[in-house]
Each structure stands twice: as structure tokens, then as C-alpha cells.
Amino acid sequence: MYTEASQSLKSVRDLIRFAVSRFQEANLVFGHGSNNAYDEACYLVLHSLHLPIHDIAPFADANLLPSEIARVLSVIQTRVETRKPAAYLTNEAWLGDFRFYVDERVIVPRSFIAELLRDQLAPWIQVPEEVVSVLDMCTGSGCLAIVAAEVFPNADVDAVDLSSDALDVAERNVTDYQLDNRVQLIQSDLFSNLEPKQYDIIISNPPYVNAESVDALPPEYLHEPELALGSGEDGLDATRVILMNASQFLIPGGLLIVEIGFNREELEVSYPELPFQWLDTASGDQFVFMLTREDLIDAGY
């Protein structure tokens, strides 16, 4: 089929149509930057041709060189046959306007916290310039730490992860953004290796997939580090450690912001004494909670 395609397809539009057909035929799963076959086809075709990924119109009917067609078809075939997320094929992922290097040492960035950070955590942070210290727990590629450093211009950011491989990727991204003097990378199993210090804000997108869901993950997700996905039987093991320790690392009035996926009901049942404030994101208000230091202390944490 791919040999026939290389002889028959001529334009960008042709290649996108072909990719959508192959992706749907193969029942690919999306969720690593796009949520449907068409958007992913557009991204992979345009990226492979070194064209702007957000503007297809000027190029849709452009005829392509045989070598360009071969390059794109190779990417399409690899996506179908390996089921690797597109981000691992292009070595890039986007959070809004922020671009990050990624490979299979880190989970593909996709955090609702990034959306909240882009608004500088308004209205809970009234003067962004007064934020001077941020902790990003489970930093992975360093994406949230970098966004935090960009939106809070006077803040130093500590970015923590257990995986040395992930921290190697984070180091590359921190250097790409020229933030080496403001973002410190720390290898630690959650808080266990941190020096005593208090932060204005702690953010975390920890592992939160429960055991049943881990067992049912489609092939695309199995390319991601297992360490970054599962967190015990109910998906809350890491979150429990964060709740138990965060107050010691927050200034008075400091904020704890944690993403927990689809575990809201389980979390609220487990911690009825905590006044979780659920933050609105584009996909709803069930994915990210906020607590203050005082909320945690009043509940005995």
C-alpha cells in the first residue's frame, strides 16, 4: 500500500487524507497532543515537511518532491506499525505556545496545570511578581517548571523527579529556554531528598492512573515510562505523600496545586476533612485541586 501511495499521492492534501485513512483503519488511539486522526495527520505531515504546523491552507495543494513524499509516508507507517505517540516520532510536544523536547524517557506533556499557569494562577495569585519560589513535584520533561519560571519572572523553581532519565530530558529543555540560573533540577523520591525550604507555590502532576486502568492502557500509552503513569491500586499513592508533606514546604498562605485525573470522587471520599477547591479548566473542574497551607494544617497535615 505504501509503495502504491508513493507513486500516486502528489500533494499535502493527498498525504493528509491518506494518513487519516490509515490511522482510522488501524484504530489508533490519540491523546498525546491531538484527540483525533485528522489533527494528528495534519501535525505529522506538516512537521515532516518542515512547514508551519498551525497553517495548512497555503500549502494544502502544493505538489511535493518524491523524497518528501517518501519521508512523510515513512512517518505515517511508523505511527501505524509501532503505535508510538506522535510526540515520540517528532521529539517535540506543545503546551499552548511552549514547545518541549521529549523522548521515551519522559511522559508526553499534557497537563491542565499548564493552562492555569498561563493565566498566572489568577485570581489566587494577585501579584505574580511577588512569587519568588515554586516547587514542581514530578517534573518529568520540566515542562511545568519552565512555564512557571516564564509566568512568574522573579521566581526560582525547583523541579523534582525520581527518574534520572527524566531529569536529563528536563535539563535539555531548561537549557533550551535559557533558564539554567532559575530552574534547579533535583533527583528525589517526592520530598524525601529535599532540603528544608518553603515555597510560595507547589505544583504537581504526579502519576495518578489506578491499577485497573494501567492494565487496560492502549499501546500508545505503554510507550511512556510506567513510573510516570501508575500510582498504586487507586492511583493516589503519590498524591497521599504530597498531601502528608506539603504544608512543611509552603509559606503561610502558600498554595498546593495538584492534578489527579479522574480520581476526584476517590480523593474526596479518602480525605473528607480537606476543603479541596477544584479549579476550572477547559475540560471541566474535576482534574486539578488547590489547597492552602492553612487548609492542610487545620486538617492535621
Side-chain angles (χ1 to χ4, degrees):
M1 180 181 295
Y2 289 92
T3 299
E4 181 183 10
S6 69
Q7 297 169 350
S8 302
L9 304 180
K10 302 298 182 185
S11 68
V12 173
R13 190 187 304 275
D14 291 342
L15 287 168
I16 290 173
R17 195 285 305 162
F18 180 79
V20 172
S21 294
R22 300 290 73 73
F23 293 170
Q24 295 195 155
E25 179 184 43
N27 293 316
L28 299 188
V29 173
F30 308 100
H32 295 90
S34 62
N35 60 14
N36 61 81
Y38 175 74
D39 287 346
E40 185 145 313
C42 289
Y43 167 67
L44 284 175
V45 171
L46 293 172
H47 182 278
S48 300
L49 294 170
H50 308 292
L51 294 172
I53 62 172
H54 299 299
D55 190 9
I56 188 175
F59 315 105
D61 295 309
N63 287 336
L64 301 174
L65 297 171
S67 59
E68 293 177 313
I69 293 171
R71 182 165 68 244
V72 174
L73 291 177
S74 176
V75 171
I76 294 169
Q77 185 173 9
T78 299
R79 176 69 176 95
V80 169
E81 293 182 354
T82 68
R83 301 289 293 267
K84 287 186 179 182
Y88 292 150
L89 302 182
T90 63
N91 292 124
E92 72 172 17
W94 294 80
L95 288 177
D97 294 331
F98 291 90
R99 178 191 177 279
F100 302 100
Y101 172 85
V102 296
D103 59 34
E104 290 176 73
R105 292 175 290 176
V106 295
I107 194 170
V108 177
R110 49 183 185 279
S111 175
F112 296 110
I113 294 176
E115 174 186 335
L116 300 166
L117 284 174
R118 290 196 294 271
D119 293 330
Q120 298 176 303
L121 297 180
W124 305 281
I125 298 296
Q126 296 185 351
V127 185
E129 291 75 17
E130 292 182 357
V131 175
V132 297
S133 59
V134 177
L135 171 63
D136 175 23
M137 182 62 69
C138 306
T139 195
S141 63
C143 56
L144 293 182
I146 289 167
V147 175
E150 292 285 347
V151 302
F152 299 120
N154 296 323
D156 291 325
V157 181
D158 288 344
V160 174
D161 207 283
L162 174 60
S163 167
S164 59
D165 285 341
L167 291 173
D168 287 342
V169 175
E171 182 177 18
R172 175 170 177 166
N173 284 316
V174 168
T175 298
D176 285 347
Y177 276 88
Q178 300 180 335
L179 289 170
D180 302 82
N181 62 331
R182 292 180 51 216
V183 177
Q184 180 183 8
L185 302 174
I186 303 171
Q187 186 173 9
S188 177
D189 186 357
L190 299 174
F191 295 95
S192 63
N193 196 39
L194 296 192
E195 298 293 332
K197 183 177 179 179
Q198 290 186 311
Y199 300 89
D200 296 293
I201 303 166
I202 298 174
I203 57 175
S204 184
N205 183 16
Y208 54 65
V209 182
N210 63 43
E212 181 181 0
S213 297
V214 167
D215 290 340
L217 285 172
E220 279 82 354
Y221 290 85
L222 299 180
H223 288 282
E224 296 185 290
E226 184 178 355
L227 185 68
L229 294 172
S231 191
E233 189 65 28
D234 63 0
L236 293 174
D237 282 4
T239 300
R240 288 189 180 90
V241 176
I242 292 169
L243 290 172
M244 288 295 298
N245 291 274
S247 66
Q248 305 169 49
F249 291 86
L250 286 168
I251 67 166
L255 303 179
L256 170 67
I257 297 170
V258 181
E259 183 168 333
I260 51 89
F262 292 96
N263 294 326
R264 175 174 176 170
E265 182 176 354
E266 182 76 27
L267 186 70
E268 290 180 327
V269 169
S270 299
Y271 294 91
E273 70 280 10
L274 283 172
F276 296 106
Q277 183 169 352
W278 297 94
L279 307 185
D280 286 327
T281 68
S283 296
D285 65 351
Q286 63 177 320
F287 303 109
V288 181
F289 71 76
M290 182 178 72
L291 294 166
T292 66
R293 177 177 182 265
E294 288 68 28
D295 292 333
L296 292 161
I297 291 176
D298 289 346
Y301 296 101

